Amino acid sequence: MKEDTIIVNRELTDLDLFVKDFLEILKKHCDYLIVSGFVSISTGRIRGTEDIDVLVEVLPNELFKKLLLDLKNKGFWCYQGDELEAIYPYVKNMQNIRFAREGQMFPNMEVIFINQNKKAKYYEFTHPQKIKIKDLEFKIPPLEFEILYKEIILTGKKDIEDARHLRVFFKDILKESKFKECKKVILEDKDG
Amino acid sequence: MVKLKFIPKTDLDYIKIYAEELGQNNKLFSDQKMLIDSQIKSSTLLFFRMFGTKNFKKNARKYLKERKLI
């Protein structure tokens, strides 16, 4: 840890470079949070992945139009369509959309739209943790939240394994008080 | 050589051992980089062969729709 940023000392992978290129564009238009598998993979978990999940607040039509144009101009394509008219209904209805580099299917960024009604997701979105790997800096959920979300909500084999990786690798910086706070948010959202 | 503190029995045991070792020896990250970079290269080649370049998006969307992925 350096100040409030987690520093991971390693070389960038092709997956990191893909994320870096995408976030450089996304950050110009809106806030974001990288969640799920890439959080574990970027901190050393060895497993394959096809997509990187990123939370974004639902964007108004005009803002999304600018983001889409920027992504297209920088060599990304959207699985769901080429034109705003085809893609925006997904945004409005909070359905996920995916972007990959032109001429590629994988890796892809899965954009997950959220709003304040999604209590747990909105909590992690508004309580980000910074992480830095070389010149790639990005925001992830609090580690305690990420671990518990995988253990309580997702619960698949790879999620439980990701959570174990995070618990062991970050054992020196995880805080019990933060676990309690995050567990409360997750359970309220789950039961509510 | 990794000195084991216990005999691993499950996948979670191996993950624990690996994560502990990673904290001590960050050269292990280079193995991870090889795996990830190789996965992306293979995937790019596979879909290039499947969909070509001229109509890549059209062919890719047809493939995704047939599998109800979009």
Side-chain angles (χ1 to χ4, degrees), chain A residues 9-184:
Chain A
N9 182 22
R10 65 168 176 80
E11 298 301 313
L12 296 181
T13 65
D14 290 346
L15 192 63
D16 297 320
L17 296 174
F18 171 77
V19 172
K20 185 169 180 270
D21 289 349
F22 188 88
L23 290 184
E24 272 172 14
I25 304 163
L26 184 70
K27 281 194 277 193
K28 286 191 282 174
H29 299 272
C30 59
D31 203 0
Y32 74 93
L33 188 78
I34 298 281
V35 298
S36 207
F38 190 68
V39 175
S40 308
I41 291 167
S42 66
T43 58
R45 168 105 159 90
I46 290 201
R47 72 166 171 89
T49 190
E50 294 168 349
D51 50 31
I52 294 106
D53 298 333
V54 58
L55 302 187
V56 169
E57 272 196 276
V58 174
L59 295 169
N61 190 302
E62 273 308 303
L63 268 183
F64 183 75
K65 185 180 172 182
K66 286 179 187 164
L67 169 63
L68 181 63
L69 186 65
D70 209 0
L71 286 167
K72 281 161 77 172
N73 288 340
K74 301 274 168 49
F76 288 91
W77 72 285
C78 179
Y79 280 20
Q80 278 72 16
D82 288 325
E83 305 305 326
L84 179 71
E85 295 71 24
I87 307 169
Y88 194 70
Y90 288 90
V91 181
K92 211 168 64 176
N93 296 322
M94 296 174 69
Q95 290 174 286
N96 303 353
I97 58 174
R98 290 173 191 254
F99 290 90
R101 280 203 179 107
E102 289 281 348
Q104 292 186 355
M105 285 276 280
F106 302 124
N108 65 70
M109 295 294 299
E110 182 164 6
V111 182
I112 301 164
F113 293 101
I114 60 157
N115 62 19
Q116 292 188 32
N117 296 330
K118 308 249 180 191
K119 296 273 191 285
K121 284 188 169 22
Y122 200 74
Y123 171 88
E124 57 179 332
F125 189 76
T126 51
H127 295 74
Q129 163 69 58
K130 280 190 277 181
I131 181 165
K132 192 170 186 213
I133 306 156
K134 296 282 179 195
D135 61 342
L136 167 62
E137 188 172 320
F138 56 100
K139 293 193 288 183
I140 59 171
L143 291 167
E144 294 86 350
F145 184 98
E146 180 69 20
I147 290 167
L148 290 175
Y149 198 81
K150 283 174 175 291
E151 290 175 347
I152 297 171
I153 305 294
L154 299 176
T155 71
K157 184 175 186 287
K158 71 177 180 183
D159 302 303
I160 299 298
E161 290 174 350
D162 284 353
R164 174 64 62 94
H165 169 82
L166 295 173
R167 275 190 186 273
V168 177
F169 191 66
F170 290 110
K171 62 180 185 299
D172 295 336
I173 60 168
L174 296 174
K175 292 188 180 76
E176 198 48 45
S177 57
K178 194 75 181 172
F179 271 120
K180 274 184 191 161
E181 180 187 328
C182 294
K183 190 170 186 178
K184 189 167 175 273

Side-chain angles (χ1 to χ4, degrees), chain B residues 40-54:
Chain B
I40 292 177
K41 277 187 186 71
S42 309
S43 154
T44 303
L45 186 62
L46 173 74
F47 287 106
F48 168 74
R49 285 181 178 156
M50 279 174 73
F51 304 143
T53 48
K54 201 176 166 196

